């Protein structure tokens, strides 16, 4: 697999998902080196639709709480 396949998987997750959660889950289930893909896809949806990040995921992640507090101030 070449570098193009990585980008195709990221773009596929973005254009076929309507929320942060669905895009992340799709990316993880795709397997392979999904950490960097999930990072990219998550950053995209966090910028586009920050309200789509599941609140229970945020509550369990201290850095996410701090980042959202900074963004909303």
């Amino acid at each position: 697999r070449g570098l193009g396949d990585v980008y195709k998987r990221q773009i596929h997750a973005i254009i076929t998902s309507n929320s942060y959660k669905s895009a992340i889950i799709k990316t993880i289930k795709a397997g392979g080196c999904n950490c960097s893909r999930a990072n990219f896809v998550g950053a995209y949806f966090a910028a586009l639709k920050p309200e789509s990040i599941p609140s229970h995921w945020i509550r369990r992640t201290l850095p996410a709480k701090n980042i959202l507090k900074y963004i909303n101030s």
Side-chain angles (χ1 to χ4, degrees):
R1 296 183 181 175
L3 192 54
D5 290 333
V6 172
Y7 291 116
K8 288 177 191 174
R9 289 179 182 194
Q10 291 171 344
I11 299 303
H12 179 266
I14 288 170
I15 63 175
T16 62
S17 301
N18 59 8
S19 72
Y20 181 94
K21 182 178 179 178
S22 67
I24 293 298
I25 290 172
K26 227 176 254 185
T27 301
I28 292 169
K29 286 183 175 182
C33 183
N34 56 22
C35 183
S36 59
R37 288 195 320 269
N39 187 22
F40 175 83
V41 170
Y44 172 85
F45 270 98
L48 181 68
K49 296 180 178 184
E51 69 281 357
S52 75
I53 302 170
S55 59
H56 66 279
W57 289 8
I58 294 169
R59 285 192 302 271
R60 296 179 66 185
T61 309
L62 180 61
K65 288 184 228 177
N66 293 334
I67 291 167
L68 290 174
K69 195 181 318 177
Y70 175 76
I71 289 170
N72 294 324
S73 65

